[in-house]
Amino acid sequence: MPELERLPVGQIVKVGGAAITEKQRFETLNSEVLRETAKHLKVVYDKNQREGLGLIVVHGAGSFGHFQASQSGVSKGGIDREDVRTGFVNTRLSVTKLNHHVVTAMVQEGIPAVGVSVCGHWTTAARQINSGPVDEIAGLLRAGLVPILHGDAVLDIALGCTILSGDVIVRHLAAHFRPNFVLFLTNVEGIYDQPPANEGAELIKEITVNSDGTWLAGTGATKISFEISDHDTTGGIETKIKEAVDIACMGLDVLIAKAGTQCGLEACENGPLVEKHWVGTHVKFNS
């Protein structure tokens, strides 16, 4: 589809799986956060309608999919093995179940949301997107619909199969659709200099990204300490930071805020023009 036929996109919003599920409890929703997030996205959708802009939402898997993928080693490949193939099927069954919950919550708030899976349409090569056509998504936007994508199990031409993170999907979509800004809604207020549960953990309010991909936090840090749960197959916060930095290198503002909160709503509505009292992380390009 020609670029000129695409509806301008206001925001690409990534809703973290850890925010809308109880990540340590198998296939358990955090219904309150999901409901509030849907309400906030309805505010954004209504604003975009007035301005002639589209909205794209991508969500993570949280406690849906990660357990199955981890147990069978789907992210490592080997689709020719029966146990991996079974894990691939069960992972998809789980993540599409969550996608149904997310789409339902959006529709209940009056958003014309439609679920979109990348499995069977996108492929990777050694876990990097090899083919990621976006014409289907562009068509949905032009029809006045809101595509709801999700992290997924996909075929990989080198490994056989792998897990494609929602964060990586967001970066790919940002490169194609060039939204006004990208927003990550997570289970914490933003990026911290170490795991936020640690004593003395400090919220990084701003990260400035240089053209060579290096970055500097407002605290002066150039490294961040993080931890990944045993069943997380997509790299956790490390992947999120990498993708946020890559998106900022495109000249796009990236905001990270806590889902279901007033600060999350402010980020949805205002992007980089949030008020000074806003709590979150702003990743921006050093132009």
Side-chain angles (χ1 to χ4, degrees):
M1 181 176 295
E3 187 71 27
L4 291 176
E5 294 183 20
R6 291 184 181 165
L7 181 74
V9 173
Q11 311 85 359
I12 297 177
V13 179
K14 164 67 191 307
V15 182
I20 56 173
T21 74
E22 301 290 345
K23 198 163 184 180
Q24 301 303 323
R25 299 176 62 190
F26 180 73
E27 292 191 350
T28 303
L29 281 176
N30 187 328
S31 300
E32 181 180 353
V33 173
L34 176 56
R35 186 167 50 249
E36 287 301 308
T37 300
K39 290 179 180 178
H40 294 170
L41 291 176
K42 178 58 163 64
V43 174
V44 175
Y45 170 76
D46 288 343
K47 180 180 179 182
N48 283 6
Q49 284 291 101
R50 295 189 296 270
E51 299 176 357
L53 299 173
L55 168 66
I56 300 173
V57 178
V58 182
H59 66 81
S63 61
F64 290 74
H66 279 295
F67 287 97
Q68 295 91 335
S70 176
Q71 289 171 359
S72 55
V74 174
S75 66
K76 300 175 182 177
I79 193 76
D80 55 318
R81 288 169 37 198
E82 183 177 355
D83 61 331
V84 175
R85 190 161 52 245
T86 299
F88 187 99
V89 170
N90 288 333
T91 299
R92 292 223 70 248
L93 184 64
S94 186
V95 296
T96 53
K97 185 187 301 184
L98 177 59
N99 185 250
H100 175 77
H101 287 304
V102 174
V103 171
T104 298
M106 302 296 172
V107 171
Q108 288 175 342
E109 291 300 326
I111 300 172
V114 289
V116 178
S117 293
V118 298
C119 180
H121 302 279
W122 293 22
T123 59
T124 56
R127 301 188 181 93
Q128 299 301 311
I129 293 175
N130 175 63
S131 173
V134 299
D135 286 355
E136 177 188 32
I137 298 165
L140 293 172
L141 290 167
R142 291 179 63 231
L145 301 168
V146 177
I148 313 291
L149 295 86
H150 57 87
D152 211 346
V154 297
L155 297 179
D156 186 289
I157 63 173
L159 302 173
C161 64
T162 194
I163 300 298
L164 180 56
S165 164
D167 295 338
V168 177
I169 292 173
V170 167
R171 186 246 300 158
H172 184 75
L173 294 175
H176 281 271
F177 288 100
R178 306 291 301 181
N180 291 344
F181 63 90
V182 173
L183 171 63
F184 289 85
L185 294 173
T186 73
N187 62 325
V188 293
E189 281 77 8
I191 299 295
Y192 286 78
D193 59 353
Q194 57 182 300
N198 289 2
E199 184 178 354
E202 185 176 352
L203 177 68
I204 299 173
K205 295 185 177 181
E206 185 173 282
I207 295 176
T208 303
V209 180
N210 300 312
S211 58
D212 62 358
T214 59
W215 54 268
L216 181 67
T219 58
T222 56
K223 285 188 177 181
I224 294 172
S225 172
F226 52 84
E227 58 186 19
I228 302 173
S229 63
D230 292 338
H231 59 268
D232 194 325
T233 58
T234 58
I237 193 65
E238 181 181 18
T239 299
K240 193 175 307 298
I241 294 170
K242 178 185 180 301
E243 300 307 331
V245 166
D246 286 351
I247 293 168
C249 280
M250 302 175 196
L252 301 174
D253 285 286
V254 179
L255 289 94
I256 304 168
K258 189 171 184 177
T261 66
Q262 183 63 30
C263 288
L265 173 59
E266 289 181 21
C268 285
E269 286 189 282
N270 303 317
L273 301 178
V274 289
E275 299 292 337
K276 290 184 178 180
H277 68 269
W278 180 75
V279 178
T281 300
H282 181 189
V283 185
K284 63 180 184 179
F285 185 65
N286 184 18
S287 56

